[in-house]
Amino acid sequence: MERPLIFAANWKMNHGPEEARAFAQKFLALTSAVEGRSLWFFPPAVSIAALSETLGNRPDVSVGAQNVHWEPKGAFTGAISIPMVMEVGARLTLVGHSERRHLFGETDEQAARKTRAALNAGITPLVCVGETLAERDGGRTEQVIVRQLGPIFQALQPGDWAKVLLAYEPVWAIGTGKNATPDDAAQIHELIRLELGRREVVQRVPILYGGSVNSGNVAFLLSRPQIDGVLVGGASLDPAGWAELIEQGSRSKVRPSGGYDIIAG
Ligand code: 13P
């Protein structure tokens, strides 16, 4: 069996409802559903309803939130809860994106609470981790990734990981045009798998790569067995460009999944 491939679009603060609808109409005409391939969209919260209604019936397409609060309701001005995004069609949520961490001060503990709350509510969390340039240059990549994952391991039982996905997004590669090489990315994905194995997580947790992915580099990245999909910002904003990226990525030599779990001895 070929491994599933995931192409996830993080629109960040782009495309209101009207633009989202126009995007979806164009995009649907440019792509068709392919077995084993999932296309995910993370629009701004106000566009979730419009996008999920317009993308409607395609079984390969899902819509998610970029951020949620861990509480279901209450006095949290400006925040949006998981039941609210689910009500308008979200089936997934990003958690701990680096822009949430670095621009909005979100902590590792908050990311863990959101992950726990997402699982409790029945929505799939895609948890993002990644080091800054200073951390990388200081040789602390591994330490940072392990630290970011720590509270998540504490908040989850090993069995919960069947419903969790991870994304490795090095902060220095986001929106900079400098993507990690397939070797760099594969190495960190291996590290994450080792950490999962150490915690006796035996499920095959999909790990996506994100950071300046484009239609020119996507096939190289996805040719690595460690990389299960891509999380894309800038190159997902235009329907034709995003469809082309998906097309190029789908051509990568996809290897048998062959049980990629590493369980530390
Ligand atoms: P870019 O693809 O624009 O580098 O953004 C990556 C990202 O942050 C996706 O979540």
Side-chain angles (χ1 to χ4, degrees):
M1 193 189 112
E2 293 192 334
R3 70 187 170 133
L5 264 184
I6 299 162
F7 293 87
N10 174 11
W11 284 355
K12 309 190 178 183
M13 201 170 70
N14 297 286
H15 294 338
E18 205 171 312
E19 284 176 5
R21 247 182 238 111
F23 180 107
Q25 276 150 7
K26 286 189 195 142
F27 181 75
L28 286 177
L30 292 168
T31 59
S32 42
V34 169
E35 171 109 27
R37 186 177 77 180
S38 298
L39 309 180
W40 294 352
F41 289 89
F42 296 92
V46 292
S47 303
I48 294 173
L51 193 62
S52 50
E53 279 160 25
T54 324
L55 291 171
N57 303 325
R58 277 273 295 265
D60 58 323
V61 176
S62 301
V63 177
Q66 294 175 10
N67 180 42
V68 288
H69 198 278
W70 55 83
E71 292 292 342
K73 62 181 179 178
F76 300 99
T77 300
I80 300 178
S81 75
I82 297 169
M84 289 172 189
V85 297
M86 291 175 82
E87 190 179 333
V88 290
R91 295 175 49 211
L92 312 140
T93 184
L94 296 181
V95 173
H97 187 276
S98 71
E99 285 147 21
R100 298 301 318 166
R101 293 175 189 267
H102 297 291
L103 301 178
F104 299 98
E106 192 167 307
T107 64
D108 300 335
E109 287 70 25
Q110 287 171 337
R113 288 179 85 167
K114 292 179 184 193
T115 307
R116 180 70 263 165
L119 290 171
N120 290 350
I123 193 171
T124 302
L126 170 48
V127 182
C128 307
V129 295
E131 82 286 7
T132 63
L133 185 58
E135 289 162 344
R136 182 181 181 82
D137 288 348
R140 298 199 304 281
T141 299
E142 188 167 334
Q143 193 186 323
V144 169
I145 306 279
V146 170
R147 190 207 73 215
Q148 290 173 333
L149 287 173
I152 310 231
F153 282 120
Q154 272 171 20
L156 270 49
Q157 301 298 317
D160 289 328
W161 286 89
K163 296 170 233 124
V164 177
L165 295 97
L166 295 173
Y168 169 54
E169 295 206 306
V171 179
W172 49 270
I174 296 179
T176 59
K178 285 187 220 157
N179 65 295
T181 65
D183 280 344
D184 285 337
Q187 191 188 341
I188 303 301
H189 285 220
E190 289 272 3
L191 163 76
I192 295 171
R193 289 212 181 284
L194 276 169
E195 282 302 304
L196 291 168
R198 256 185 220 126
R199 309 299 181 116
E200 292 171 18
V201 176
V202 293
Q203 285 83 12
R204 191 188 185 289
V205 178
I207 307 175
L208 315 190
Y209 169 77
S212 294
V213 177
N214 59 40
S215 56
N217 60 27
V218 66
F220 294 109
L221 289 158
L222 288 176
S223 67
R224 299 303 165 113
Q226 295 89 344
I227 303 177
D228 300 298
V230 284
L231 179 55
V232 182
S236 72
L237 293 176
D238 164 66
W242 181 228
E244 169 67 11
L245 188 154
I246 291 166
E247 178 65 28
Q248 293 300 331
S250 303
R251 283 193 196 149
S252 64
K253 296 266 182 301
V254 178
R255 300 134 322 276
S257 63
Y260 202 75
D261 297 309
I262 296 175
I263 300 167

